PDB file of all heavy atoms in Angstrom:
ATOM      1  N   ALA D 215      44.546  -8.791 -24.975  1.00  0.00           N
ATOM      2  CA  ALA D 215      43.685  -7.631 -24.665  1.00  0.00           C
ATOM      3  C   ALA D 215      43.904  -6.560 -25.764  1.00  0.00           C
ATOM      4  O   ALA D 215      42.945  -5.947 -26.256  1.00  0.00           O
ATOM      5  CB  ALA D 215      44.048  -7.064 -23.305  1.00  0.00           C
ATOM      6  N   VAL D 216      45.167  -6.318 -26.167  1.00  0.00           N
ATOM      7  CA  VAL D 216      45.456  -5.326 -27.236  1.00  0.00           C
ATOM      8  C   VAL D 216      44.831  -5.794 -28.516  1.00  0.00           C
ATOM      9  O   VAL D 216      44.207  -5.018 -29.264  1.00  0.00           O
ATOM     10  CB  VAL D 216      46.951  -5.112 -27.362  1.00  0.00           C
ATOM     11  CG1 VAL D 216      47.258  -4.278 -28.614  1.00  0.00           C
ATOM     12  CG2 VAL D 216      47.535  -4.462 -26.132  1.00  0.00           C
ATOM     13  N   ASN D 217      44.972  -7.064 -28.797  1.00  0.00           N
ATOM     14  CA  ASN D 217      44.389  -7.686 -30.018  1.00  0.00           C
ATOM     15  C   ASN D 217      42.879  -7.419 -30.075  1.00  0.00           C
ATOM     16  O   ASN D 217      42.324  -7.000 -31.115  1.00  0.00           O
ATOM     17  CB  ASN D 217      44.684  -9.181 -30.048  1.00  0.00           C
ATOM     18  CG  ASN D 217      44.119  -9.840 -31.263  1.00  0.00           C
ATOM     19  OD1 ASN D 217      43.794  -9.217 -32.240  1.00  0.00           O
ATOM     20  ND2 ASN D 217      44.035 -11.169 -31.209  1.00  0.00           N
ATOM     21  N   HIS D 218      42.207  -7.647 -28.935  1.00  0.00           N
ATOM     22  CA  HIS D 218      40.756  -7.450 -28.895  1.00  0.00           C
ATOM     23  C   HIS D 218      40.409  -5.972 -29.176  1.00  0.00           C
ATOM     24  O   HIS D 218      39.488  -5.712 -29.968  1.00  0.00           O
ATOM     25  CB  HIS D 218      40.232  -7.867 -27.526  1.00  0.00           C
ATOM     26  CG  HIS D 218      38.798  -7.579 -27.353  1.00  0.00           C
ATOM     27  ND1 HIS D 218      37.796  -8.338 -27.958  1.00  0.00           N
ATOM     28  CD2 HIS D 218      38.146  -6.608 -26.626  1.00  0.00           C
ATOM     29  CE1 HIS D 218      36.615  -7.822 -27.610  1.00  0.00           C
ATOM     30  NE2 HIS D 218      36.819  -6.804 -26.816  1.00  0.00           N
ATOM     31  N   CYS D 219      41.129  -5.087 -28.575  1.00  0.00           N
ATOM     32  CA  CYS D 219      40.857  -3.643 -28.757  1.00  0.00           C
ATOM     33  C   CYS D 219      41.156  -3.258 -30.259  1.00  0.00           C
ATOM     34  O   CYS D 219      40.395  -2.506 -30.864  1.00  0.00           O
ATOM     35  CB  CYS D 219      41.685  -2.822 -27.819  1.00  0.00           C
ATOM     36  SG  CYS D 219      41.117  -2.931 -26.098  1.00  0.00           S
ATOM     37  N   LEU D 220      42.236  -3.723 -30.744  1.00  0.00           N
ATOM     38  CA  LEU D 220      42.669  -3.395 -32.093  1.00  0.00           C
ATOM     39  C   LEU D 220      41.635  -3.923 -33.133  1.00  0.00           C
ATOM     40  O   LEU D 220      41.313  -3.267 -34.105  1.00  0.00           O
ATOM     41  CB  LEU D 220      44.044  -3.960 -32.393  1.00  0.00           C
ATOM     42  CG  LEU D 220      44.806  -3.432 -33.609  1.00  0.00           C
ATOM     43  CD1 LEU D 220      44.917  -1.911 -33.633  1.00  0.00           C
ATOM     44  CD2 LEU D 220      46.191  -4.045 -33.710  1.00  0.00           C
ATOM     45  N   GLU D 221      41.151  -5.125 -32.902  1.00  0.00           N
ATOM     46  CA  GLU D 221      40.175  -5.728 -33.803  1.00  0.00           C
ATOM     47  C   GLU D 221      38.892  -4.950 -33.850  1.00  0.00           C
ATOM     48  O   GLU D 221      38.173  -4.998 -34.793  1.00  0.00           O
ATOM     49  CB  GLU D 221      39.944  -7.155 -33.373  1.00  0.00           C
ATOM     50  CG  GLU D 221      39.079  -7.948 -34.357  1.00  0.00           C
ATOM     51  CD  GLU D 221      39.648  -8.043 -35.740  1.00  0.00           C
ATOM     52  OE1 GLU D 221      40.876  -8.085 -35.907  1.00  0.00           O
ATOM     53  OE2 GLU D 221      38.877  -8.066 -36.699  1.00  0.00           O
ATOM     54  N   SER D 222      38.586  -4.202 -32.744  1.00  0.00           N
ATOM     55  CA  SER D 222      37.371  -3.449 -32.724  1.00  0.00           C
ATOM     56  C   SER D 222      37.387  -2.219 -33.624  1.00  0.00           C
ATOM     57  O   SER D 222      36.332  -1.648 -33.918  1.00  0.00           O
ATOM     58  CB  SER D 222      37.030  -3.029 -31.260  1.00  0.00           C
ATOM     59  OG  SER D 222      37.936  -2.001 -30.890  1.00  0.00           O
ATOM     60  N   LEU D 223      38.574  -1.826 -34.109  1.00  0.00           N
ATOM     61  CA  LEU D 223      38.707  -0.659 -34.966  1.00  0.00           C
ATOM     62  C   LEU D 223      38.303  -1.006 -36.411  1.00  0.00           C
ATOM     63  O   LEU D 223      38.420  -2.162 -36.839  1.00  0.00           O
ATOM     64  CB  LEU D 223      40.143  -0.188 -34.993  1.00  0.00           C
ATOM     65  CG  LEU D 223      40.732   0.340 -33.684  1.00  0.00           C
ATOM     66  CD1 LEU D 223      42.188   0.766 -33.876  1.00  0.00           C
ATOM     67  CD2 LEU D 223      39.915   1.484 -33.111  1.00  0.00           C
ATOM     68  N   LYS D 224      37.858  -0.012 -37.162  1.00  0.00           N
ATOM     69  CA  LYS D 224      37.565  -0.152 -38.542  1.00  0.00           C
ATOM     70  C   LYS D 224      38.898  -0.470 -39.304  1.00  0.00           C
ATOM     71  O   LYS D 224      39.951   0.026 -38.890  1.00  0.00           O
ATOM     72  CB  LYS D 224      36.952   1.084 -39.141  1.00  0.00           C
ATOM     73  CG  LYS D 224      35.577   1.372 -38.665  1.00  0.00           C
ATOM     74  CD  LYS D 224      34.988   2.619 -39.309  1.00  0.00           C
ATOM     75  CE  LYS D 224      33.602   2.932 -38.814  1.00  0.00           C
ATOM     76  NZ  LYS D 224      33.065   4.170 -39.428  1.00  0.00           N
ATOM     77  N   PRO D 225      38.847  -1.226 -40.389  1.00  0.00           N
ATOM     78  CA  PRO D 225      40.084  -1.566 -41.107  1.00  0.00           C
ATOM     79  C   PRO D 225      40.872  -0.326 -41.558  1.00  0.00           C
ATOM     80  O   PRO D 225      42.093  -0.381 -41.609  1.00  0.00           O
ATOM     81  CB  PRO D 225      39.572  -2.319 -42.363  1.00  0.00           C
ATOM     82  CG  PRO D 225      38.283  -2.923 -41.920  1.00  0.00           C
ATOM     83  CD  PRO D 225      37.674  -1.916 -40.960  1.00  0.00           C
ATOM     84  N   GLN D 226      40.201   0.801 -41.849  1.00  0.00           N
ATOM     85  CA  GLN D 226      40.927   1.970 -42.274  1.00  0.00           C
ATOM     86  C   GLN D 226      41.899   2.487 -41.224  1.00  0.00           C
ATOM     87  O   GLN D 226      42.880   3.115 -41.530  1.00  0.00           O
ATOM     88  CB  GLN D 226      39.979   3.071 -42.726  1.00  0.00           C
ATOM     89  CG  GLN D 226      39.183   3.695 -41.594  1.00  0.00           C
ATOM     90  CD  GLN D 226      38.157   4.705 -42.106  1.00  0.00           C
ATOM     91  OE1 GLN D 226      37.754   4.648 -43.232  1.00  0.00           O
ATOM     92  NE2 GLN D 226      37.773   5.613 -41.249  1.00  0.00           N
ATOM     93  N   TYR D 227      41.600   2.228 -39.954  1.00  0.00           N
ATOM     94  CA  TYR D 227      42.512   2.631 -38.829  1.00  0.00           C
ATOM     95  C   TYR D 227      43.413   1.460 -38.491  1.00  0.00           C
ATOM     96  O   TYR D 227      44.601   1.675 -38.297  1.00  0.00           O
ATOM     97  CB  TYR D 227      41.685   3.051 -37.641  1.00  0.00           C
ATOM     98  CG  TYR D 227      40.708   4.160 -37.872  1.00  0.00           C
ATOM     99  CD1 TYR D 227      39.357   3.986 -37.715  1.00  0.00           C
ATOM    100  CD2 TYR D 227      41.142   5.427 -38.334  1.00  0.00           C
ATOM    101  CE1 TYR D 227      38.414   4.992 -37.945  1.00  0.00           C
ATOM    102  CE2 TYR D 227      40.267   6.431 -38.598  1.00  0.00           C
ATOM    103  CZ  TYR D 227      38.938   6.252 -38.390  1.00  0.00           C
ATOM    104  OH  TYR D 227      38.046   7.274 -38.633  1.00  0.00           O
ATOM    105  N   ARG D 228      42.845   0.273 -38.317  1.00  0.00           N
ATOM    106  CA  ARG D 228      43.580  -0.879 -37.875  1.00  0.00           C
ATOM    107  C   ARG D 228      44.765  -1.202 -38.805  1.00  0.00           C
ATOM    108  O   ARG D 228      45.832  -1.481 -38.341  1.00  0.00           O
ATOM    109  CB  ARG D 228      42.604  -2.053 -37.804  1.00  0.00           C
ATOM    110  CG  ARG D 228      43.255  -3.369 -37.338  1.00  0.00           C
ATOM    111  CD  ARG D 228      42.298  -4.523 -37.240  1.00  0.00           C
ATOM    112  NE  ARG D 228      41.600  -4.707 -38.506  1.00  0.00           N
ATOM    113  CZ  ARG D 228      40.286  -4.830 -38.648  1.00  0.00           C
ATOM    114  NH1 ARG D 228      39.485  -4.721 -37.624  1.00  0.00           N
ATOM    115  NH2 ARG D 228      39.722  -4.997 -39.826  1.00  0.00           N
ATOM    116  N   ASP D 229      44.543  -1.186 -40.105  1.00  0.00           N
ATOM    117  CA  ASP D 229      45.589  -1.524 -41.043  1.00  0.00           C
ATOM    118  C   ASP D 229      46.779  -0.569 -40.960  1.00  0.00           C
ATOM    119  O   ASP D 229      47.918  -1.003 -41.007  1.00  0.00           O
ATOM    120  CB  ASP D 229      45.050  -1.578 -42.473  1.00  0.00           C
ATOM    121  CG  ASP D 229      44.093  -2.722 -42.644  1.00  0.00           C
ATOM    122  OD1 ASP D 229      44.011  -3.613 -41.796  1.00  0.00           O
ATOM    123  OD2 ASP D 229      43.327  -2.699 -43.662  1.00  0.00           O
ATOM    124  N   ILE D 230      46.503   0.723 -40.796  1.00  0.00           N
ATOM    125  CA  ILE D 230      47.584   1.731 -40.691  1.00  0.00           C
ATOM    126  C   ILE D 230      48.345   1.531 -39.379  1.00  0.00           C
ATOM    127  O   ILE D 230      49.578   1.573 -39.372  1.00  0.00           O
ATOM    128  CB  ILE D 230      47.009   3.146 -40.823  1.00  0.00           C
ATOM    129  CG1 ILE D 230      46.520   3.367 -42.313  1.00  0.00           C
ATOM    130  CG2 ILE D 230      48.055   4.200 -40.440  1.00  0.00           C
ATOM    131  CD1 ILE D 230      45.761   4.663 -42.519  1.00  0.00           C
ATOM    132  N   ILE D 231      47.607   1.314 -38.307  1.00  0.00           N
ATOM    133  CA  ILE D 231      48.273   1.067 -37.025  1.00  0.00           C
ATOM    134  C   ILE D 231      49.147  -0.180 -37.121  1.00  0.00           C
ATOM    135  O   ILE D 231      50.298  -0.205 -36.651  1.00  0.00           O
ATOM    136  CB  ILE D 231      47.259   0.939 -35.884  1.00  0.00           C
ATOM    137  CG1 ILE D 231      46.601   2.290 -35.624  1.00  0.00           C
ATOM    138  CG2 ILE D 231      47.909   0.404 -34.576  1.00  0.00           C
ATOM    139  CD1 ILE D 231      45.429   2.232 -34.652  1.00  0.00           C
ATOM    140  N   TYR D 232      48.622  -1.215 -37.749  1.00  0.00           N
ATOM    141  CA  TYR D 232      49.437  -2.418 -37.913  1.00  0.00           C
ATOM    142  C   TYR D 232      50.721  -2.180 -38.682  1.00  0.00           C
ATOM    143  O   TYR D 232      51.796  -2.592 -38.265  1.00  0.00           O
ATOM    144  CB  TYR D 232      48.576  -3.516 -38.613  1.00  0.00           C
ATOM    145  CG  TYR D 232      49.329  -4.753 -38.960  1.00  0.00           C
ATOM    146  CD1 TYR D 232      49.576  -5.722 -37.986  1.00  0.00           C
ATOM    147  CD2 TYR D 232      49.881  -4.956 -40.218  1.00  0.00           C
ATOM    148  CE1 TYR D 232      50.303  -6.861 -38.272  1.00  0.00           C
ATOM    149  CE2 TYR D 232      50.604  -6.101 -40.500  1.00  0.00           C
ATOM    150  CZ  TYR D 232      50.798  -7.057 -39.535  1.00  0.00           C
ATOM    151  OH  TYR D 232      51.515  -8.173 -39.795  1.00  0.00           O
ATOM    152  N   LEU D 233      50.616  -1.511 -39.826  1.00  0.00           N
ATOM    153  CA  LEU D 233      51.831  -1.222 -40.648  1.00  0.00           C
ATOM    154  C   LEU D 233      52.809  -0.333 -39.914  1.00  0.00           C
ATOM    155  O   LEU D 233      54.017  -0.516 -40.037  1.00  0.00           O
ATOM    156  CB  LEU D 233      51.370  -0.595 -41.966  1.00  0.00           C
ATOM    157  CG  LEU D 233      50.696  -1.552 -42.944  1.00  0.00           C
ATOM    158  CD1 LEU D 233      50.110  -0.760 -44.116  1.00  0.00           C
ATOM    159  CD2 LEU D 233      51.642  -2.627 -43.451  1.00  0.00           C
ATOM    160  N   ARG D 234      52.302   0.644 -39.174  1.00  0.00           N
ATOM    161  CA  ARG D 234      53.190   1.583 -38.487  1.00  0.00           C
ATOM    162  C   ARG D 234      53.792   0.952 -37.203  1.00  0.00           C
ATOM    163  O   ARG D 234      55.011   0.977 -37.019  1.00  0.00           O
ATOM    164  CB  ARG D 234      52.379   2.846 -38.119  1.00  0.00           C
ATOM    165  CG  ARG D 234      53.069   3.805 -37.225  1.00  0.00           C
ATOM    166  CD  ARG D 234      53.914   4.755 -37.960  1.00  0.00           C
ATOM    167  NE  ARG D 234      54.395   5.777 -37.070  1.00  0.00           N
ATOM    168  CZ  ARG D 234      55.446   6.497 -37.298  1.00  0.00           C
ATOM    169  NH1 ARG D 234      56.059   6.400 -38.444  1.00  0.00           N
ATOM    170  NH2 ARG D 234      55.864   7.425 -36.448  1.00  0.00           N
ATOM    171  N   PHE D 235      52.931   0.419 -36.376  1.00  0.00           N
ATOM    172  CA  PHE D 235      53.365  -0.040 -35.031  1.00  0.00           C
ATOM    173  C   PHE D 235      54.022  -1.444 -35.081  1.00  0.00           C
ATOM    174  O   PHE D 235      55.120  -1.614 -34.497  1.00  0.00           O
ATOM    175  CB  PHE D 235      52.190  -0.092 -34.117  1.00  0.00           C
ATOM    176  CG  PHE D 235      52.557  -0.339 -32.684  1.00  0.00           C
ATOM    177  CD1 PHE D 235      53.158   0.649 -31.903  1.00  0.00           C
ATOM    178  CD2 PHE D 235      52.304  -1.563 -32.073  1.00  0.00           C
ATOM    179  CE1 PHE D 235      53.532   0.392 -30.572  1.00  0.00           C
ATOM    180  CE2 PHE D 235      52.654  -1.821 -30.774  1.00  0.00           C
ATOM    181  CZ  PHE D 235      53.257  -0.823 -30.014  1.00  0.00           C
ATOM    182  N   TYR D 236      53.441  -2.404 -35.810  1.00  0.00           N
ATOM    183  CA  TYR D 236      53.966  -3.747 -35.806  1.00  0.00           C
ATOM    184  C   TYR D 236      54.969  -3.989 -36.919  1.00  0.00           C
ATOM    185  O   TYR D 236      55.843  -4.852 -36.730  1.00  0.00           O
ATOM    186  CB  TYR D 236      52.819  -4.747 -35.870  1.00  0.00           C
ATOM    187  CG  TYR D 236      51.981  -4.759 -34.620  1.00  0.00           C
ATOM    188  CD1 TYR D 236      50.736  -4.159 -34.625  1.00  0.00           C
ATOM    189  CD2 TYR D 236      52.433  -5.285 -33.419  1.00  0.00           C
ATOM    190  CE1 TYR D 236      49.913  -4.129 -33.448  1.00  0.00           C
ATOM    191  CE2 TYR D 236      51.690  -5.239 -32.285  1.00  0.00           C
ATOM    192  CZ  TYR D 236      50.430  -4.629 -32.288  1.00  0.00           C
ATOM    193  OH  TYR D 236      49.697  -4.591 -31.183  1.00  0.00           O
ATOM    194  N   GLN D 237      54.824  -3.377 -38.050  1.00  0.00           N
ATOM    195  CA  GLN D 237      55.739  -3.598 -39.164  1.00  0.00           C
ATOM    196  C   GLN D 237      56.815  -2.567 -39.261  1.00  0.00           C
ATOM    197  O   GLN D 237      57.770  -2.689 -40.001  1.00  0.00           O
ATOM    198  CB  GLN D 237      54.978  -3.695 -40.482  1.00  0.00           C
ATOM    199  CG  GLN D 237      54.011  -4.840 -40.545  1.00  0.00           C
ATOM    200  CD  GLN D 237      54.658  -6.186 -40.481  1.00  0.00           C
ATOM    201  OE1 GLN D 237      55.783  -6.386 -40.929  1.00  0.00           O
ATOM    202  NE2 GLN D 237      54.045  -7.198 -39.865  1.00  0.00           N
TER     203      GLN D 237
END
Side-chain angles (χ1 to χ4, degrees):
V216 170
N217 181 18
H218 174 74
C219 291
L220 195 54
E221 187 60 33
S222 71
L223 297 178
K224 291 181 180 179
Q226 69 184 24
Y227 303 119
R228 180 180 55 232
D229 294 345
I230 292 171
I231 291 171
Y232 175 80
L233 289 170
R234 172 86 172 159
F235 189 74
Y236 293 105
Q237 297 296 327

